[in-house]
Amino acid sequence: MDYRFAARMRNAPESFLKKLFDVSSDPEIISFAGGLPDSNLIDVNGIKDSAAFVLDEEGREALQYTTTEGHLPLREYIAERYQKRLGISASADNIRIVNGSQQCLDIIGKIFIEKNDRIGIESPGYLGAIEAFSLYEPVIRSVEMNDSGPDLNAFAQLISDEKIKFFYGIPNFQNPTGRSYSKDTRKRIGDIISETDSLFYEDDAFGELAFNQVPRVPVNKYAPANVIICGSFSKTVAPGMRIGWIMAPREIISVFDAAKQAADLHSNYLCQKIMNHYLRNSDYDRHLKEVVSVYSRNCRLICDLLDDMADTGITHTSPEGGMFMTVNLPEGLSSMKLFEEGIRRGVAVLPGIPFYAGSGGEDMIRLNFSNTDEENIKEGMARLSGLLTDLSSF
Amino acid sequence: MDYRFAARMRNAPESFLKKLFDVSSDPEIISFAGGLPDSNLIDVNGIKDSAAFVLDEEGREALQYTTTEGHLPLREYIAERYQKRLGISASADNIRIVNGSQQCLDIIGKIFIEKNDRIGIESPGYLGAIEAFSLYEPVIRSVEMNDSGPDLNAFAQLISDEKIKFFYGIPNFQNPTGRSYSKDTRKRIGDIISETDSLFYEDDAFGELAFNQVPRVPVNKYAPANVIICGSFSKTVAPGMRIGWIMAPREIISVFDAAKQAADLHSNYLCQKIMNHYLRNSDYDRHLKEVVSVYSRNCRLICDLLDDMADTGITHTSPEGGMFMTVNLPEGLSSMKLFEEGIRRGVAVLPGIPFYAGSGGEDMIRLNFSNTDEENIKEGMARLSGLLTDLSSF
């Protein structure tokens, strides 16, 4: 039988994730390739207590259908935290709960992108966003990143030259580079999008993972009518519950609701209630402090060990938060080759290729520092060092 | 600021669901308009025990990211149940877990429908399917339903005249009519789709809710390579956990995986594990028997009370399972008027309009019989009877 799929499915970029999952289940391989938070830092007992409470006290309701918008007390919690932490205006009316912030990418793609519409992203940019948006068949325009964010001249030029539907970026501890926009860049982007009536999709999956725990002002603050901001509890509480959110202007939210309802009626109500109870009855800030102390220690250790490999010709980013960093490879060494040789030598890295909408990423790898302990970091980095020495001596 | 949404969002049919939720929260109104299973029949204690077990024994894993495919033991359970209950060939490799079977509608729409592609549906047909498919901008062709399923001549003609991407139907206890395909119709549809290399989307959300608990042979059995079959635990265990599934040929599953991954990475892992534990450690068949005995009693009571109103000119379907039936109104009485007057008199019914892709449904209402107890059914039907007498005497 001949299945006649829609042309858009030919746009699905080849996914590394399947291969990565196979790699990550091999105990002989030390992996810096994945994107998992540290399982040991998940507060299983706290979540278990909240699950017991919800099922005892509100079980019948939590297990029934609910509204598309998402659990109101959870949306209120998110709004209050935005106000308190970031000093931005936020209301539960503008917030919706989704199945992890990946679902925002899909739904925002669906409600904005028509075939051949222009959208803008960072280069390199988040591979999950490229995958989600690609299925709506846009033309993706990339803006180079530097250490303070997207190149502002290129950003302004893109906005003025092409009527992009939106620009997608991760101002805090970007995936893959770990870089953050400077305060000035955030303000300048806010100014540009307000002046040009443009839309900025501010993905803030990592904002709570600042190593120094000092909140950074979001682009949203400078241009709230021009910003969609998304967040997630996957990196801070537990990814397996699939709870993320979007906050956006009312006009966008009402169209978003129609698409979310068609997509799956509503997000898992049981876990929304568990998450709300957990956030309100645990010491979330203390939990975050613990998470961040582990990730920052790991990150520093990896940076130090990479510095020791400087004579192979590599350079690396120096994140101040998040879960990822990137390493630029010596000229002539391909990231796919490093990936494949690495597997053979028991160390997995992620080639940069899927982080580019067009070509690119042959000279770059992403390293994850949230899911490997000190001993494995040392051994894994020793393997990487040996590999780089051997491969770059050709 | 002017938000430039994609044209597809203009295709979103006006949703009654928001209005319905408002109605269903008013305690003065007896509602037959919704689509909720009976909360009192949800096995909260059983699910609570399974949640405690999962969080005790596998909490760290259940709260972490997992693969897009879904929890293997749950997929195996579903496959075994298909084999045992329906005698159809089934394997976990062909099964994927989704956020309620509504998500299948969205993803199948995404992977098959290009703008202006033809698809076929039943008339009347499930409103959630019309909503989900519409966002991919198909031309929807409808086939009239009779008491034994879609009109077979019209079905065959549609298949031969238009190269439809797929035909979507609910052979068991259809939403909205409660009607089922006859065994002969199932076989004939299987023959037609095999002979013409066509695809049938068999939505089996209600198959487990046969009042006599005798399983009915799915279309899948006659043409497995030509059928996508979907199911859900929302009607049988708990909708708030959002666990549904798709079973389809491998070629479709591999494309489905790419779209599911882009849509939300994976379904809620915690609830997948809880559901799997619950199904394997509770007496699921006994639970279903209890659910079905309540729904069949409610259904019979409503049918009897509707028969008593026959002099107003109404006729109704007589479901042998599921949660819904339809009532054809006397000539000249509009379903929207009945809905609006009903709200004023404390009884809510659902106008047939959203169950038609084109025009239709002005002369029909849907009644839900799964979420109202005997006392409320009697009082609600008395209100409906008074209303029909008053409105049809004009």
Side-chain angles (χ1 to χ4, degrees):
Chain A
M1 151 108 204
D2 172 37
Y3 304 105
R4 295 177 298 121
F5 297 108
R8 71 171 65 84
M9 295 311 297
R10 289 195 296 265
N11 280 37
E14 195 200 344
S15 180
F16 279 81
L17 293 186
K18 181 85 184 71
K19 207 183 277 184
L20 284 179
F21 260 101
D22 299 344
V23 163
S24 67
S25 63
D26 181 343
E28 297 299 308
I29 296 176
I30 295 172
S31 179
F32 301 99
L36 306 188
D38 187 342
S39 292
N40 295 313
L41 294 171
I42 295 174
D43 181 7
V44 180
N45 285 330
I47 294 168
K48 201 179 95 183
D49 290 348
S50 291
F53 178 89
V54 165
L55 284 164
D56 273 338
E57 302 295 321
E58 312 165 36
R60 232 163 267 291
E61 192 196 330
L63 294 167
Q64 184 55 278
Y65 283 113
T66 184
T67 54
T68 301
E69 290 88 336
H71 191 39
L72 182 60
L74 179 58
R75 288 154 51 214
E76 287 168 344
Y77 178 91
I78 294 165
E80 283 157 27
R81 196 166 172 89
Y82 270 135
Q83 290 162 14
K84 221 168 42 188
R85 230 185 110 246
L86 299 176
I88 60 178
S89 149
S91 149
D93 291 344
N94 295 64
I95 293 172
R96 294 295 183 261
I97 305 299
V98 291
N99 301 322
S101 64
Q102 180 73 27
Q103 192 180 37
C104 285
L105 297 165
D106 179 45
I107 294 183
I108 292 297
K110 187 186 256 185
I111 72 178
F112 280 105
I113 304 172
E114 293 179 47
K115 188 171 176 172
N116 295 325
D117 273 351
R118 267 64 178 158
I119 62 170
I121 64 165
E122 301 160 336
S123 177
Y126 173 47
L127 74 96
I130 295 171
E131 282 187 23
F133 297 149
S134 291
L135 295 184
Y136 298 99
E137 306 178 273
V139 176
I140 301 181
R141 298 294 188 208
S142 303
V143 171
E144 285 287 323
M145 292 279 283
N146 57 45
D147 277 337
S148 56
D151 180 284
L152 283 171
N153 290 331
F155 181 81
Q157 181 127 25
L158 175 68
I159 298 276
S160 78
D161 288 0
E162 308 214 32
K163 223 175 153 44
I164 60 168
K165 281 290 180 84
F166 57 81
F167 186 94
Y168 170 83
I170 308 179
N172 291 320
F173 323 121
Q174 195 231 19
N175 185 352
T177 62
R179 287 193 285 217
S180 298
Y181 296 11
S182 69
K183 195 171 174 191
D184 185 57
T185 294
R186 292 163 197 249
K187 190 176 176 319
R188 287 283 307 281
I189 285 180
D191 292 344
I192 294 169
I193 58 178
S194 314
E195 283 158 17
T196 56
D197 241 21
S198 306
L199 197 60
F200 186 82
Y201 183 146
E202 180 166 27
D203 188 341
D204 193 25
F206 306 102
E208 296 267 18
L209 298 183
F211 295 158
N212 65 3
Q213 292 202 279
V214 177
R216 296 165 185 227
V217 180
V219 176
N220 171 284
K221 174 133 187 175
Y222 302 108
N226 301 71
V227 172
I228 295 164
I229 186 164
C230 290
S232 170
F233 293 111
S234 292
K235 277 69 184 178
T236 55
V237 181
M241 296 168 80
R242 310 305 300 123
I243 310 276
W245 68 88
I246 179 173
M247 183 169 80
R250 288 288 291 161
E251 297 90 325
I252 294 176
I253 288 294
S254 77
V255 180
F256 187 92
D257 284 345
K260 167 73 178 165
Q261 182 178 293
D264 62 6
L265 301 182
H266 63 80
S267 295
N268 193 299
Y269 196 24
L270 177 60
C271 283
Q272 291 186 62
K273 277 186 173 274
I274 295 172
M275 183 65 77
N276 177 60
H277 185 270
Y278 175 76
L279 292 166
R280 291 173 183 275
N281 292 278
S282 68
D283 191 342
Y284 183 43
D285 286 311
R286 195 177 138 179
H287 169 71
L288 286 173
K289 199 169 170 178
E290 196 188 325
V291 171
V292 156
S293 78
V294 174
Y295 292 1
S296 69
R297 202 168 57 225
N298 290 350
C299 181
R300 264 196 309 271
L301 178 57
I302 293 180
C303 284
D304 288 348
L305 294 169
L306 288 172
D307 288 341
D308 294 343
M309 305 175 208
D311 57 352
T312 64
I314 61 163
T315 58
H316 63 88
T317 57
S318 298
E320 294 172 357
M323 294 166 42
F324 303 104
M325 69 174 69
T326 47
V327 176
N328 285 305
L329 302 179
E331 213 176 307
L333 176 54
S334 109
S335 57
M336 276 308 294
K337 176 150 191 186
L338 191 64
F339 172 72
E340 279 154 14
E341 286 292 321
I343 298 301
R344 246 164 257 143
R345 303 241 199 143
V347 58
V349 299
L350 187 59
I353 296 159
F355 298 98
Y356 290 82
S359 61
E362 292 82 2
D363 57 351
M364 186 265 276
I365 56 169
R366 186 190 76 177
L367 299 182
N368 165 263
F369 52 76
S370 60
N371 198 29
T372 319
D373 62 17
E374 188 178 330
E375 191 186 338
N376 275 307
I377 287 173
K378 286 179 176 165
E379 174 58 28
M381 284 293 131
R383 291 178 194 177
L384 184 65
S385 176
L387 185 59
L388 280 169
T389 306
D390 292 355
L391 289 176
S392 52
S393 64
F394 277 91
Chain B
M1 152 107 203
D2 172 38
Y3 303 106
R4 295 177 298 122
F5 298 108
R8 72 171 63 87
M9 295 312 296
R10 290 195 297 264
N11 279 37
E14 193 200 344
S15 180
F16 281 80
L17 293 187
K18 182 83 182 71
K19 209 183 277 183
L20 284 179
F21 260 101
D22 298 343
V23 164
S24 68
S25 63
D26 180 343
E28 297 299 307
I29 295 175
I30 295 171
S31 179
F32 301 100
L36 307 188
D38 187 343
S39 292
N40 296 311
L41 294 171
I42 295 173
D43 181 8
V44 180
N45 285 329
I47 294 168
K48 200 180 95 182
D49 290 348
S50 291
F53 179 90
V54 166
L55 285 164
D56 272 339
E57 301 295 321
E58 310 166 36
R60 232 164 266 290
E61 192 195 332
L63 294 167
Q64 185 54 280
Y65 283 112
T66 182
T67 54
T68 300
E69 291 88 336
H71 191 39
L72 182 59
L74 179 59
R75 287 154 51 213
E76 286 169 344
Y77 177 90
I78 295 165
E80 282 159 26
R81 195 166 172 89
Y82 270 135
Q83 290 161 12
K84 223 169 39 187
R85 229 186 110 246
L86 300 174
I88 61 179
S89 147
S91 148
D93 291 343
N94 295 64
I95 293 172
R96 295 294 183 262
I97 306 299
V98 291
N99 301 322
S101 64
Q102 180 72 28
Q103 193 180 37
C104 285
L105 297 164
D106 179 45
I107 295 182
I108 291 298
K110 186 186 256 184
I111 72 178
F112 281 105
I113 304 173
E114 293 179 47
K115 188 172 178 172
N116 295 325
D117 272 352
R118 268 63 179 159
I119 62 169
I121 64 163
E122 301 161 337
S123 175
Y126 173 48
L127 74 95
I130 296 171
E131 283 187 21
F133 298 149
S134 291
L135 296 183
Y136 298 100
E137 305 179 273
V139 175
I140 301 182
R141 298 297 189 205
S142 302
V143 171
E144 285 287 321
M145 293 278 283
N146 57 44
D147 278 337
S148 56
D151 180 283
L152 284 171
N153 290 330
F155 181 83
Q157 183 127 24
L158 175 68
I159 299 276
S160 79
D161 287 0
E162 309 213 32
K163 225 173 152 46
I164 59 168
K165 280 290 178 87
F166 57 81
F167 186 93
Y168 169 82
I170 308 179
N172 290 321
F173 324 120
Q174 194 232 17
N175 185 352
T177 63
R179 287 191 287 217
S180 297
Y181 295 11
S182 69
K183 195 172 173 190
D184 186 57
T185 295
R186 292 163 198 250
K187 189 175 177 319
R188 287 284 306 284
I189 285 179
D191 292 346
I192 294 168
I193 57 177
S194 313
E195 283 158 16
T196 56
D197 242 21
S198 306
L199 197 59
F200 187 82
Y201 183 145
E202 182 167 27
D203 188 340
D204 194 24
F206 306 102
E208 296 267 18
L209 299 183
F211 295 157
N212 66 3
Q213 293 202 279
V214 177
R216 296 165 185 227
V217 181
V219 175
N220 170 285
K221 174 134 187 174
Y222 302 109
N226 302 72
V227 172
I228 293 163
I229 186 165
C230 292
S232 170
F233 293 112
S234 292
K235 276 72 184 178
T236 55
V237 181
M241 294 167 81
R242 313 304 301 125
I243 309 276
W245 68 88
I246 180 173
M247 183 170 80
R250 289 290 291 163
E251 296 91 325
I252 294 177
I253 288 295
S254 77
V255 180
F256 187 93
D257 284 345
K260 167 74 178 162
Q261 182 178 293
D264 61 6
L265 300 182
H266 62 79
S267 295
N268 192 298
Y269 196 24
L270 177 59
C271 282
Q272 292 186 62
K273 278 187 173 272
I274 295 172
M275 183 66 76
N276 177 61
H277 185 270
Y278 175 76
L279 292 166
R280 291 174 184 274
N281 292 278
S282 68
D283 191 341
Y284 183 42
D285 286 312
R286 196 179 138 178
H287 169 71
L288 286 172
K289 200 169 170 178
E290 197 188 325
V291 171
V292 156
S293 78
V294 173
Y295 291 1
S296 69
R297 204 167 56 224
N298 290 351
C299 181
R300 265 198 308 272
L301 178 57
I302 293 180
C303 284
D304 289 348
L305 294 169
L306 289 171
D307 287 342
D308 295 344
M309 305 175 208
D311 57 352
T312 63
I314 61 162
T315 58
H316 63 87
T317 57
S318 298
E320 294 172 355
M323 294 167 40
F324 303 104
M325 68 174 70
T326 47
V327 177
N328 284 305
L329 301 179
E331 214 176 307
L333 175 56
S334 110
S335 58
M336 275 308 293
K337 175 148 192 189
L338 192 64
F339 173 72
E340 279 155 15
E341 286 291 322
I343 298 303
R344 249 164 254 144
R345 303 239 202 144
V347 57
V349 299
L350 187 59
I353 296 159
F355 299 98
Y356 289 82
S359 61
E362 292 83 2
D363 59 351
M364 187 264 276
I365 56 170
R366 186 189 77 176
L367 300 182
N368 165 262
F369 52 77
S370 60
N371 197 29
T372 321
D373 63 17
E374 189 180 328
E375 192 186 337
N376 276 307
I377 288 173
K378 286 180 177 165
E379 174 58 28
M381 284 292 131
R383 293 178 192 176
L384 183 66
S385 177
L387 185 59
L388 280 169
T389 305
D390 292 354
L391 289 176
S392 53
S393 65
F394 278 91

